[in-house]
Amino acid sequence: ASRRLFIACALAMKLPREDMRFFERTFRRFDFSTMRMLHFPPVGDFSTDKLTRDGDALRIGEHTDFGMVTLLFHDAESAGEGLQVKKADAGAGNDASGVACTNTGWIDAISRGGATAIVNTGALIARWTNDEWRATAHRVVVPNDAAAGRDRYSLAFFL
């Protein structure tokens, strides 16, 4: 599956035919792939030190992933509720972690039903494309009281 994703990225970037397998060759030499099962336990009382400037309670704060891409799969119960992404402004600078310096607003990235994969671009693809493809800043908030009382599970495949 990752091989097909690599070729799709190369096609989207309109790489020359001789470079079409660049990502596949790179990952064969240096395998950066990791799969993690992520568990967010129910949230008790919200302490003020865990709130964002907007007043949202966080399960995990704003960050970007360091690899090429991340495929994220959610449990059926939460359907990804609480996952938010932020699009970087064109020409906006990044801080040391790769997170865009301007606040363009958060977008809910919930499942549209059925089996859903969220694809986040990472810092490595941003570096390889000279920021033409930017790393996706994302976070997980507690969207409501019902979600606060539930466990939340995700499966992340980092490439």
Side-chain angles (χ1 to χ4, degrees), residues 12-27:
M13 290 177 199
K14 298 181 175 133
L15 292 180
R17 186 171 186 84
E18 61 272 8
D19 292 333
M20 201 53 59
R21 298 207 182 269
F22 168 78
F23 302 116
E24 182 182 352
R25 285 191 310 265
T26 301
F27 276 78

Side-chain angles (χ1 to χ4, degrees), residues 25-44:
R25 285 191 310 265
T26 301
F27 276 78
R28 199 175 314 130
R29 280 185 63 207
F30 306 103
D31 187 359
F32 305 113
S33 303
T34 304
M35 187 173 289
R36 288 190 58 200
M37 180 68 175
L38 305 172
H39 173 236
F40 301 91
V43 178

